[in-house]
Amino acid sequence: MSDKSNTARVQRPSLSSSMRSSSYLQEHQQYRAPNKPEGHYGIDTVVEDMNATSIATLPSPIVPPKGVARFKGIPSPEHPPTIVESGLSHELSHPNCTPAPGTRSDKLVATLYYKSTAPRISNAIPSPQQASSPAGSQSPKGRAADSEIPGNMAPTSSLDTFPLEPPTAEPEPLDHLYGSYVSPMCITSFLHLMSSFPLPPGASDLNSAHRCLKLDQTPDHHPLVVELTLSPGPSLDYLPLADLRKHELIYRFEREWNVDVALRADTLFRRYPRLVVFDMDSTLITQEVIDLLAATIKDPPDLAARVADITHRAMLGELEFDSAFRERVKLLTGLPGTLFNDLRPVLEVTNGVRPLLRALKRLGVKTAVLSGGFLPLTSWLAGELGLDYAHANEVVIDDATGRLTGEVKGRIVGAERKRELLIEIAGKEGIPLDQVVAVGDGANDLLMMDAAGLGVAWNAKPRVQMEASARLNGDSLLDLLYLFGFNDEEISQLIQ
């Protein structure tokens, strides 16, 4: 070892005490804003030296007027301090920050989805009775063709059954006037609506903040999904959240602006789901499997019509789901058990399902499908999509002939069973129900949606849309992620 290693180390250079100040920023700051004098004292000097220096000894530029209390870092709601610099004006207020110790916040989150795929028709068009048909298209009775009846004008598509009384006047679609997106006027209108509801006791003002979660592809990048945080939300004593979602003012606002409004309490678990449960038919896939079976079977030739009749009766409430399912399965007696394999290539996965499931998997969220359909297809689809759980009805196949007996093994996976399975899976995984999301479209999904912390109606029947916690009526199930507060940039990272 060299003797040089034993030589005394060179002492590190340091500033003399006379050159040091009590401000780290003042010593190390390299950048000075233009037109700012060298004697400028920043907020760091005020804060660091305040305890050791009296107000009277501070340089004149920072001597506060008499009677002004020292700023303690907590803005005053009545007179928030304002920073005014060249190119900067910032008001220090915090209505949406953490509440004071011993209190709690009652924030409400509203997610506004613009329904760009379902534009509304203006009421300014001629009524169906007065509409003129193209040349040669007039019906024998001298009426306009059925196809000319606007979808929002009456509960019928046939002029022969058109109601004698005019339909209730719909509000004019304001998105036609102010922009086919979630416009500033749309947000203003919503905030004005929410301000009409009573606030909790002790609250005098409604504060709000908003974020754009999804933008369109136009050069101006208009917002299509906007999240608003209201602080505080309307008084729950006056109107519980479940009733607020169904309020006539909310419904009318949605019709006027062509949006869906999802209202949720701004809790911690809103942003962190741990289990998402899906229905299968018309949710994970676009079809109804029982109808696919009937349509692909040619013998007997009237099978499709008989299955459709039972389905129609069930939709009208004439048959319970369990009875309707058993009756339809009975019609399949004698068919080969391999027919489910033949349907695999026909299944059409709903748009957005695959990237949605990739995103949920990356977030560590468990997934399940609870179907009132057939287990052979449900299990196969769950394997294809990478779902963690799959439950459906198991039909009996005769071992000797390999054909369906027309019987169902075990309990029918109907409304009650879906709720039980959701609770069982959550319990097995140790997941609170507050962190469970259920997505479906039919009345037999309502009980599981009610048991979950969030129930989402996906392009659902009218009753389901009314009863669910939230509703999505878009063309991609990926829209579900906006309910958790993710924006497009974050979603693109999750689905890569």
Side-chain angles (χ1 to χ4, degrees), residues 182 187 210-215 223-227 487-488:
V182 184
I187 296 175
H210 81 274
R211 300 189 301 140
C212 298
L213 303 183
K214 179 181 181 180
L215 305 175
L224 296 179
V225 181
V226 172
E227 179 187 272
N487 60 33
D488 265 349

Side-chain angles (χ1 to χ4, degrees), residues 290 293 303 306 310 322-337 339-340 374 393-399 401-410 412:
I290 191 71
L293 279 171
L303 180 62
R306 292 160 66 186
I310 297 173
D322 290 19
S323 301
F325 185 80
R326 290 185 186 277
E327 190 172 340
R328 286 178 289 188
V329 172
K330 201 73 175 177
L331 296 176
L332 306 179
T333 303
L335 296 175
L339 60 85
F340 297 111
F374 302 93
N393 298 302
E394 188 174 356
V395 292
V396 179
I397 300 176
D398 187 89
D399 294 333
T401 63
R403 294 182 176 273
L404 302 181
T405 66
E407 301 296 327
V408 182
K409 185 184 298 184
I412 297 292

Side-chain angles (χ1 to χ4, degrees), residues 269 274-275 426 430-436 453:
F269 296 144
R274 294 177 59 195
L275 170 64
I431 297 173
L433 292 179
D434 284 349
Q435 291 180 273
V436 178

Side-chain angles (χ1 to χ4, degrees), residues 140-444:
K141 296 183 180 180
R143 288 179 169 179
D146 289 354
S147 61
E148 294 184 7
I149 299 179
N152 68 318
M153 292 297 291
T156 179
S157 59
S158 170
L159 284 174
D160 293 331
T161 58
F162 198 85
L164 298 178
E165 293 293 329
T168 303
E170 287 282 351
E172 185 68 19
L174 297 180
D175 58 315
H176 293 188
L177 300 176
Y178 297 103
S180 297
Y181 49 91
V182 184
S183 63
M185 280 300 297
C186 175
I187 296 175
T188 302
S189 177
F190 181 76
L191 293 175
H192 179 73
L193 181 160
M194 298 304 293
S195 68
S196 65
F197 297 116
L199 295 176
S204 58
D205 295 312
L206 176 66
N207 296 289
S208 67
H210 81 274
R211 300 189 301 140
C212 298
L213 303 183
K214 179 181 181 180
L215 305 175
D216 63 20
Q217 300 299 315
T218 64
D220 292 329
H221 301 304
H222 297 125
L224 296 179
V225 181
V226 172
E227 179 187 272
L228 291 109
T229 302
L230 308 180
S231 176
S235 172
L236 297 179
D237 294 331
Y238 168 77
L239 200 64
L241 185 55
D243 294 333
L244 180 63
R245 293 186 178 112
K246 305 174 187 177
H247 200 282
E248 173 64 22
L249 290 179
I250 300 290
Y251 171 76
R252 186 173 181 87
F253 171 82
E254 291 175 318
R255 295 291 295 166
E256 285 178 338
W257 293 98
N258 195 32
V259 297
D260 280 326
V261 178
L263 298 176
R264 300 188 67 188
D266 189 21
T267 64
L268 175 66
F269 296 144
R270 177 186 78 89
R271 300 186 292 274
Y272 300 102
R274 294 177 59 195
L275 170 64
V276 180
V277 176
F278 299 93
D279 175 43
M280 179 171 162
D281 293 11
S282 298
T283 303
L284 285 181
I285 62 173
T286 61
Q287 310 111 316
E288 294 286 333
V289 169
I290 191 71
D291 295 330
L292 285 178
L293 279 171
T296 55
I297 298 168
K298 305 304 180 185
D299 186 24
D302 62 341
L303 180 62
R306 292 160 66 186
V307 169
D309 177 65
I310 297 173
T311 303
H312 179 65
R313 288 163 57 197
M315 292 288 292
L316 293 177
E318 297 175 5
L319 293 174
E320 294 293 333
F321 177 82
D322 290 19
S323 301
F325 185 80
R326 290 185 186 277
E327 190 172 340
R328 286 178 289 188
V329 172
K330 201 73 175 177
L331 296 176
L332 306 179
T333 303
L335 296 175
T338 58
L339 60 85
F340 297 111
N341 297 338
D342 300 334
L343 286 182
R344 291 178 181 178
V346 183
L347 297 186
E348 183 180 277
V349 177
T350 300
N351 182 34
V353 163
R354 295 184 188 276
L356 169 63
L357 293 175
R358 285 201 302 272
L360 293 176
K361 187 172 291 292
R362 293 196 69 179
L363 291 169
V365 178
K366 295 292 184 179
T367 53
V369 53
L370 306 181
S371 173
F374 302 93
L375 187 59
L377 274 178
T378 303
S379 297
W380 174 81
L381 182 67
E384 287 290 302
L385 298 177
L387 291 123
D388 298 294
Y389 294 91
H391 293 276
N393 298 302
E394 188 174 356
V395 292
V396 179
I397 300 176
D398 187 89
D399 294 333
T401 63
R403 294 182 176 273
L404 302 181
T405 66
E407 301 296 327
V408 182
K409 185 184 298 184
R411 291 180 58 189
I412 297 292
V413 182
E416 293 281 354
R417 185 58 180 153
K418 284 189 174 186
R419 176 174 61 181
E420 292 175 7
L421 288 169
L422 180 147
I423 295 173
E424 286 177 14
I425 295 171
K428 179 180 178 181
E429 295 289 346
I431 297 173
L433 292 179
D434 284 349
Q435 291 180 273
V436 178
V437 179
V439 186
D441 74 299
N444 64 326

